[in-house]
Amino acid sequence: MTTASFNRLTDKIKAYGAPRPICFEIGESPELINYLDLVAKNENTCLPAAVVEYQSRPILYLIENDRLSSTPTERKKEIRNIKQLLANRGDIAYIGVINPGQLEVYPIDLKRHLSGEIRVYENNRSSKTFFQSLALGTLKVKNQPNPDYVYNRIFKLLDTTSKHLISSPCSLKPDEVLSLIGRALFFRFLKDRNIIIDEDLKDICPSADLFEDCFSDPEKTAATSAWLDRAFNGDLLILPDHGSPQYFRDVEKKTNGDLFHHLSAIIFGAEPIGQGYQLHLWKDFDFSHIPVGILSQVYESFSNVWNPYSRSTSIYYTPRSIARYLVDESFASLKDPSNAKILDPAAGAGIFMVLAFKRLVAETWRKEGIRPDSSKIQQILYGQLSGFDINESALKLAALSLYLTAIELDADPRPLRKLRFPKPLRGKVLYYYRMENEPKDSPVIGSLGDHVDPIHNGKYDLVIGNPPWTKLSKEQSDLALKYTQVIRNVALEKGLDHVASTYINPHRNPDLPFVWKAQIWAKLGGTIALALPARILFKQSSTGKKAREFLFSSVKVTGILNCSNLSDTRVWPTIGQPFCLFFAKNLIPTDNNRFYFVSPHLESGLNSKGRIRIDSQAAEPLHTKRIAKEPWLLKTLTVGSSLDVNVLQKILKKKEMSIKEFWNKNSLKSSTGYEIRENEIQQDASAMKDYTELNKETAMPFSFFVDTDQLPPFKRDTLAWPRDIDCYKGPLFLLRQSMGEDRHEGNSLLCLKSVIYNESYYGYSGYGHKDGECDGECLVRYLYLIAYSSLFKYYVLVTSPKFACERRVIQKKDFDEFPIIPIEKLHPRDRETIWSLSEKLAHNTKKPFDEIDNWICHLYDLDDADLEVIINTIEVGLPFNQSRKTAEAAPTKDQIEIFIRYLENQLLPFFNSVNQSLSVKIIDLGSSSIETPWLFIKIVPSKKAVKNDQINIGTLMDIANEKGASQIIINGSDGLIIGLLNQYRYWTKSRARLCGLQILRDYMNAFPLPEKRK
């Protein structure tokens, strides 16, 4: 494709709101490092001409119609072939065929037919937002595959094979099956990539007539394995008896020859069924296009199924998309990326090393102007990459992945002798740090220990990876103490004496010790980039807060991508924990150090494809010192905005003590209810038989108030945890663990008499309390109103370290920490309000929720605008299905109108002050079969009609593509144009308020002031 042709293609695709594509045909270049398999090698290859990316991920592969066959049947066949070829790359993306005046789009999948066709017409105004609908996942396509469709298919085939060979009667050991299958996969890779060709066959396996015969019997398999060992220094997956012919003859007898049927199926492109082959399964895959990252990810997961130690040693693969983002962002921070030395201290199967390897080759290519040859690629591999691990199998997989990558990156890996690598990777690139006397089935100090060669200290420009997260058991407390000592030693070396003398590693977790030890491995000023559990951001225990404060004082944090809103999605499907990506420079931060904090929202259409939208304009610049002063700040910004920070600051200004502190001060009792736990030591519970019992079953008739006369008596003699009997004495306030989404269904109970309650409730007894006119009943009624207020639910949402992150239920600690205004300090009128509102709440059909909200907000000096923020944040921020659906749903006409009027009323006083009027209108894009992901409004300083022809949607989409933004504001010819994502979370009153504040601060120059009258 000539430059002129490419420019024409760029102009055509711009009509659909797409940014400039990356062309595969202009010539090899570093920007094509992730698409080298698609650079046409010969004229007969049917490949796309270019790809359009969004946030560095492929979205739309382009084909020009005039390059396809003119025969309809052949044309469809060509498109289908390109689609299946691209499907091997594992991307959730689309094919776009560019026709005159229209774009013909198909989802990419492994199906043998075309489906899900969409046509977009160039002359339609909404076509300008089409690419964004692809990029943001709002395009509705039937039967689109999940993001792991290639991974899942290969994994299923490998799993079926391994189960057959490991189970009786074959009964091979898991380790040897993993090595055998891995070797066959590696050989298939070499064959599909034409690294080995027919003329090499006699050198590889002299007795074979075809490549498909190389694993067909014991002698041929032994010869092929021996060749692999010679070429790759014995670093490949090790076999018993070094894979001798006798070993394979023994295995043939043991498996009745089944092993060779299975291995040959991988090479031949089939799935074995009995003694035959079903050709279309393995044959669906073209290993010349399957990325090495997917292969290593599949094989790592596959090996973990059969590795009995994987869970105890915290082995979980990192999704390729997450690893790539971490690598891309890290390299952007390096001063001399082509010469960077890189360490992954918990390498696993090497996904970070593979991606960093590719990036190093690309940077070298960009710097030197020529594509690195075999020698240069190997020089980079052996001279700039290092990986540590305590798992032998993981390091074998890492070696396999790195060899594959080196071959993949080589423009000319032939003749075959060039395939031989100069030395083993073990001890040069990959390092095993489990000591000989340490058990294989448990966590150990590993690369954090003193036995690691100090040659690695201060060596690396980038320390990157995904360290283990799994909390140690109580039985492993000795190792937990070593974790604390690791951090203290690092702090001492860095001159942080206060940390060295007081630090305690929270909750026996291994992740923070890796962050600290990375400061020893990294050069001064080097980059640290790690995937971590998000719990480190939100902990509110004294130990957790101190650990976070000390961490932020030890390194210059530059950015945090907080993905805690995306837990339990396909973004990282194998973990149920919230996570974050942590970026820092290995420098002691200054007092005014700031970092950027970004929290992507849950966007189901996008997240279901394994992708996230990173809104650079939503990055909050935060002072490091502020984290210690406001330990709740990161959680508040996760679910809310700067408006929520302001509201919470006002609440905390009124804080004298927490509910827990008040209860303790007044010697009152509270508990989490009794627990039975038959398998634990039981205690006497006979004193509880004098009371009735409340549990999930007996509480069914009660939503707001408990009538103890309707409850059965408590009957048990023993309990594992009976609790203090005074905890059950009335009057009682009882808060359900499952607070629920709708308070109309009841989230807590008022009980005026004594009752035994179980662990489904958190109970607060007012028994014995008397302070002037305030008795115990008034006190529990006060708690009762607090629990039903929007303010309490809001406070838990924006401060709790676990609610809406790790949990969907509240903990007793969440209620305990609520800042209560002591009841004795309330005005007598407020105590009267407590009685009247609690009575209505307990017994009236119509519940006084609005009255409760207004009264509670009055106590905390919050105004109507604050209450709007509270309600909006609850509405779209709770971790329940309805709230999530509400947040993502397109706003209704009424909701849009409320937003517009609120924004207009906010701006109008400033226009009136200069004798101007104001008009805010929604822009009509016209009808379209494709739901637009964006809505637009225009603000003009008059009541004249808004003209759609003055709206440059293309410019807005250019900004959206570049910034990943949820809000775009540009100057129009006669006013201001605002684009907002078509999700209700961006159309609340709170968002209108933020939008108005931004306009007043940054965009008033869009409205020329009238000339002053003389």
Side-chain angles (χ1 to χ4, degrees):
M1 179 181 290
T2 64
T3 302
S5 299
F6 179 59
N7 288 337
R8 283 196 298 273
L9 183 147
T10 300
D11 290 340
K12 289 177 182 177
I13 200 66
K14 194 172 180 64
Y16 306 98
R20 184 177 177 84
I22 298 171
C23 182
F24 301 141
E25 300 178 17
I26 287 180
E28 294 182 346
S29 67
E31 72 173 355
L32 288 170
I33 196 72
N34 294 311
Y35 302 101
L36 294 176
D37 59 305
L38 298 179
V39 178
K41 297 285 193 299
N42 59 69
E43 293 181 0
N44 296 322
T45 306
C46 190
L47 291 170
V51 64
V52 185
E53 291 186 332
Y54 179 74
Q55 298 195 336
S56 300
R57 303 297 182 266
I59 300 296
L60 184 64
Y61 291 92
L62 301 174
I63 308 169
E64 290 188 287
N65 186 56
D66 57 11
R67 303 183 68 177
L68 296 170
S69 172
S70 59
T71 307
T73 302
E74 286 299 310
R75 180 181 184 277
K76 280 195 171 184
K77 183 178 178 182
E78 288 172 357
I79 298 172
R80 184 201 66 198
N81 290 342
I82 295 174
K83 179 199 72 161
Q84 288 187 279
L85 177 149
L86 292 172
N88 284 276
R89 293 177 52 81
D91 301 321
I92 294 294
Y94 300 82
I95 288 175
V97 183
I98 302 174
N99 301 305
Q102 66 173 258
L103 187 66
E104 178 185 350
V105 180
Y106 300 91
I108 292 172
D109 55 44
L110 286 168
K111 296 174 183 176
R112 295 175 183 82
H113 61 277
L114 293 177
S115 61
E117 178 186 354
I118 297 168
R119 290 183 182 266
V120 190
Y121 297 92
E122 186 177 337
N123 58 1
N124 192 314
R125 287 185 58 80
S126 62
S127 65
K128 288 283 188 182
T129 63
F130 174 71
F131 179 77
Q132 277 280 300
S133 71
L134 290 184
L136 300 181
T138 60
L139 188 70
K140 302 296 187 292
V141 179
K142 292 183 179 179
N143 303 318
Q144 180 147 10
N146 72 53
D148 300 316
Y149 62 98
V150 173
Y151 163 89
N152 288 337
R153 287 280 295 275
I154 298 178
F155 181 87
K156 184 176 180 181
L157 290 171
L158 294 181
D159 193 47
T160 300
T161 297
S162 62
K163 283 177 179 175
H164 176 75
L165 295 174
I166 291 170
S167 61
S168 180
C170 296
S171 301
L172 296 182
K173 293 179 179 178
D175 278 351
E176 59 185 312
V177 171
L178 296 176
S179 292
L180 289 163
I181 292 175
R183 285 170 175 251
L185 277 174
F186 191 27
F187 197 77
R188 170 75 182 271
F189 175 90
L190 298 175
K191 176 178 173 288
D192 280 7
R193 302 229 170 192
N194 291 320
I195 308 299
I196 52 177
I197 59 177
D198 291 344
E199 65 187 59
D200 301 319
L201 187 57
K202 293 306 174 186
D203 184 35
I204 296 169
C205 184
S207 60
D209 295 322
L210 300 168
F211 277 116
E212 286 79 0
D213 296 332
C214 286
F215 288 85
S216 61
D217 62 39
E219 281 68 31
K220 293 184 181 71
T221 306
T224 304
S225 286
W227 175 81
L228 287 170
D229 286 330
R230 290 195 303 273
F232 299 100
N233 306 302
D235 271 344
L236 288 184
L237 305 157
I238 297 171
L239 293 169
D241 195 23
H242 303 290
S244 67
Q246 185 57 50
Y247 164 74
F248 283 108
R249 284 193 285 270
D250 292 342
V251 170
E252 181 183 37
K253 291 178 183 178
K254 203 171 184 179
T255 66
N256 195 27
D258 277 2
L259 170 69
F260 306 106
H261 294 305
H262 283 275
L263 298 183
S264 294
I266 294 172
I267 306 304
F268 187 66
E271 179 188 33
I273 296 180
Q275 298 296 314
Y277 297 98
Q278 190 170 344
L279 293 174
H280 67 273
L281 291 171
W282 274 108
K283 205 161 189 174
D284 278 348
F285 299 110
D286 184 343
F287 280 62
S288 64
H289 295 286
I290 295 176
V292 171
I294 285 184
L295 282 181
S296 62
Q297 182 175 309
V298 170
Y299 202 70
E300 182 175 9
S301 301
F302 168 58
S303 65
N304 287 346
V305 170
W306 300 104
N307 180 355
Y309 315 133
S310 62
R311 293 287 173 182
S312 63
T313 53
S314 197
I315 298 174
Y316 299 95
Y317 77 81
T318 310
R320 188 170 51 122
S321 59
I322 297 294
R324 182 175 169 186
Y325 182 81
L326 206 63
V327 169
D328 287 348
E329 288 299 307
S330 301
F331 266 81
S333 72
L334 299 177
K335 291 181 180 178
D336 185 9
S338 65
N339 291 316
K341 287 184 168 59
I342 297 169
L343 168 68
D344 182 346
I351 183 64
F352 288 99
M353 296 184 75
V354 164
L355 294 175
F357 188 11
K358 292 180 74 171
R359 187 62 184 266
L360 286 170
V361 170
E363 295 295 341
T364 301
W365 187 351
R366 186 173 288 113
K367 181 179 180 179
E368 298 181 357
I370 57 172
R371 184 172 177 176
D373 59 12
S374 304
S375 175
K376 188 68 175 180
I377 290 170
Q378 291 182 7
Q379 182 183 328
I380 292 169
L381 172 59
Y382 287 94
Q384 295 180 244
L385 287 167
S386 298
F388 302 159
D389 212 283
I390 59 171
N391 184 279
E392 186 78 45
S393 297
L395 288 178
K396 292 175 186 176
L397 299 177
L400 178 66
S401 299
L402 290 169
Y403 281 134
L404 288 171
T405 304
I407 295 166
E408 179 184 48
L409 292 170
D410 199 333
D412 187 19
R414 297 191 51 77
L416 196 57
R417 63 177 179 273
K418 291 175 66 179
L419 201 58
R420 292 182 174 87
F421 285 75
K423 47 194 170 185
L425 296 180
R426 180 66 66 87
K428 302 292 183 182
V429 177
L430 300 170
Y431 300 85
Y432 180 59
Y433 280 126
R434 186 185 291 270
M435 293 184 283
E436 288 185 10
N437 60 341
E438 291 179 327
K440 306 291 185 185
D441 59 346
S442 64
V444 294
I445 196 68
S447 58
L448 299 173
D450 295 334
H451 59 292
V452 174
D453 194 329
I455 195 174
H456 296 288
N457 294 351
K459 177 180 178 180
Y460 298 99
D461 300 279
L462 171 61
V463 179
I464 188 170
N466 174 23
W469 299 3
T470 303
K471 178 180 178 179
L472 297 177
S473 66
K474 291 181 180 179
E475 291 73 26
Q476 295 163 328
S477 56
D478 287 347
L479 180 55
L481 291 175
K482 290 181 182 179
Y483 286 162
T484 290
Q485 194 58 50
V486 165
I487 296 176
R488 290 187 173 192
N489 291 343
V490 175
L492 193 63
E493 189 165 336
K494 299 192 72 168
L496 301 171
D497 295 346
H498 64 295
V499 179
S501 60
T502 61
Y503 186 89
I504 298 174
N505 193 53
H507 306 114
R508 305 187 301 277
N509 292 317
D511 41 272
L512 284 177
F514 274 90
V515 186
W516 282 84
K517 197 59 184 281
Q519 300 170 40
I520 298 299
W521 295 317
K523 293 178 180 177
L524 188 65
T527 296
I528 296 169
L530 299 169
L532 299 171
R535 61 182 174 231
I536 67 171
L537 305 177
F538 308 133
K539 283 185 177 296
Q540 298 300 311
S541 65
S542 58
T543 304
K545 287 191 286 189
K546 274 295 180 187
R548 181 171 56 247
E549 179 184 344
F550 287 157
L551 174 62
F552 277 66
S553 69
S554 69
V555 287
K556 183 180 179 181
V557 179
T558 56
I560 295 174
L561 180 66
N562 166 37
C563 298
S564 57
N565 291 325
L566 310 180
S567 58
D568 300 320
T569 70
R570 289 190 178 276
V571 172
W572 200 327
T574 58
I575 62 167
Q577 297 184 57
F579 68 96
C580 68
L581 304 185
F582 176 88
F583 301 90
K585 287 289 185 182
N586 192 24
L587 296 167
I588 299 293
T590 60
D591 287 343
N592 62 352
N593 182 67
R594 296 198 307 175
F595 67 96
Y596 285 96
F597 184 72
V598 188
S599 296
H601 288 296
L602 178 75
E603 295 179 288
S604 301
L606 187 64
N607 303 150
S608 67
K609 298 173 174 59
R611 297 202 303 267
I612 56 180
R613 180 179 59 85
I614 300 166
D615 186 346
S616 60
Q617 293 183 349
E620 289 277 353
L622 302 176
H623 279 92
T624 302
K625 293 283 187 182
R626 193 176 175 189
I627 303 305
K629 294 177 182 177
E630 299 176 318
W632 43 265
L633 179 64
L634 298 180
K635 175 62 189 299
T636 303
L637 290 173
T638 297
V639 295
S641 68
S642 58
L643 295 180
D644 295 278
V645 174
N646 295 335
V647 170
L648 192 55
Q649 287 171 335
K650 290 178 73 171
I651 295 170
L652 294 175
K653 276 185 180 179
K654 294 289 290 184
K655 181 178 180 179
E656 291 187 37
M657 61 181 65
S658 67
I659 288 176
K660 181 179 180 179
E661 289 168 338
F662 181 89
W663 235 244
N664 290 340
K665 177 185 174 184
N666 290 278
S667 301
L668 299 172
K669 298 293 183 179
S670 67
S671 86
T672 54
Y674 74 79
E675 296 180 49
I676 297 175
R677 299 192 185 185
E678 298 283 11
N679 60 334
E680 294 187 15
I681 296 173
Q682 298 289 295
Q683 301 181 53
D684 180 28
S686 57
M688 298 164 67
K689 287 188 173 183
D690 294 334
Y691 301 93
T692 55
E693 180 182 11
L694 183 76
N695 55 42
K696 278 188 176 180
E697 288 73 30
T698 62
M700 291 296 288
F702 311 120
S703 297
F704 292 86
F705 181 80
V706 178
D707 181 358
T708 55
D709 293 339
Q710 298 182 41
L711 293 175
F714 182 81
K715 296 181 180 180
R716 288 187 62 90
D717 295 312
T718 62
L719 291 167
W721 298 97
R723 313 299 180 193
D724 187 329
I725 193 65
D726 285 348
C727 293
Y728 304 110
K729 291 181 178 179
L732 288 162
F733 160 69
L734 301 169
L735 177 67
R736 288 191 174 98
Q737 273 193 34
S738 292
M739 185 166 58
E741 192 166 6
D742 186 355
R743 56 184 172 177
H744 288 83
E745 296 177 0
N747 64 33
S748 61
L749 299 167
L750 179 63
C751 183
L752 301 181
K753 297 180 181 179
S754 300
V755 71
I756 303 298
Y757 54 89
N758 73 350
E759 59 192 316
S760 298
Y761 301 90
Y762 306 130
Y764 294 79
S765 169
Y767 174 74
H769 179 69
K770 184 67 179 176
D771 188 344
E773 296 182 6
C774 176
D775 62 8
E777 183 175 342
C778 185
L779 182 60
V780 296
R781 286 174 178 270
Y782 183 27
L783 294 196
Y784 183 51
L785 295 180
I786 288 173
Y788 274 101
S789 70
S790 294
L791 184 62
F792 166 65
K793 187 179 286 190
Y794 173 79
Y795 185 83
V796 173
L797 177 63
V798 299
T799 64
S800 170
K802 292 190 176 182
F803 182 69
C805 291
E806 298 179 35
R807 297 175 183 266
R808 302 293 177 264
V809 298
I810 68 168
Q811 297 177 294
K812 183 174 183 292
K813 185 177 181 180
D814 294 327
F815 193 75
D816 283 343
E817 293 301 315
F818 185 80
I820 191 173
I821 298 172
I823 193 168
E824 63 271 14
K825 294 189 176 182
L826 296 183
H827 192 280
R829 184 172 57 252
D830 288 318
R831 287 199 282 271
E832 292 174 7
T833 301
I834 289 172
W835 284 92
S836 62
L837 285 180
S838 62
E839 275 297 294
K840 290 179 185 178
L841 180 60
H843 303 296
N844 288 11
T845 302
K846 185 178 180 181
K847 304 301 178 183
F849 293 132
D850 289 343
E851 292 178 70
I852 292 171
D853 284 345
N854 289 327
W855 176 70
I856 291 287
C857 283
H858 157 73
L859 291 184
Y860 289 83
D861 294 336
L862 303 177
D863 57 26
D864 290 345
D866 296 325
L867 182 55
E868 280 177 354
V869 172
I870 289 169
I871 290 171
N872 288 160
T873 301
I874 290 173
E875 192 177 18
V876 300
L878 287 174
F880 305 121
N881 287 336
Q882 186 54 53
S883 181
R884 289 177 167 180
K885 287 178 182 177
T886 298
E888 291 189 69
T892 64
K893 288 183 178 180
D894 287 344
Q895 288 167 340
I896 292 171
E897 185 64 24
I898 289 170
F899 178 97
I900 287 174
R901 296 287 76 80
Y902 194 95
L903 179 60
E904 190 173 70
N905 290 336
Q906 191 176 3
L907 298 176
L908 195 56
F910 297 90
F911 283 80
N912 288 342
S913 67
V914 290
N915 298 317
Q916 284 191 329
S917 58
L918 175 69
S919 178
V920 184
K921 300 287 186 182
I922 192 78
I923 296 171
D924 182 14
L925 293 181
S927 61
S928 173
S929 59
I930 298 167
E931 183 178 319
T932 175
W934 286 88
L935 297 175
F936 304 98
I937 58 178
K938 188 167 184 181
I939 305 174
V940 293
S942 69
K943 293 295 182 183
K944 65 183 180 182
V946 176
K947 296 180 180 179
N948 286 349
D949 59 1
Q950 297 173 343
I951 309 302
N952 191 338
I953 295 173
T955 300
L956 287 162
M957 292 302 95
D958 288 343
I959 298 171
N961 292 330
E962 179 185 356
K963 303 292 187 182
S966 54
Q967 175 182 286
I968 303 162
I969 304 177
I970 63 171
N971 291 339
S973 58
D974 57 348
L976 210 58
I977 304 164
I978 302 172
L980 293 167
L981 282 179
N982 192 12
Q983 299 174 26
Y984 173 64
R985 62 163 59 96
Y986 301 112
W987 291 84
T988 64
K989 286 184 177 181
S990 296
R991 286 288 175 168
R993 185 168 153 199
L994 281 173
C995 183
L997 290 172
Q998 187 176 359
I999 290 169
L1000 293 172
R1001 185 181 65 239
D1002 300 326
Y1003 291 96
M1004 290 302 285
N1005 61 350
F1007 308 103
L1009 296 175
E1011 292 185 12
K1012 291 183 179 180
R1013 295 179 181 176
K1014 295 182 180 180

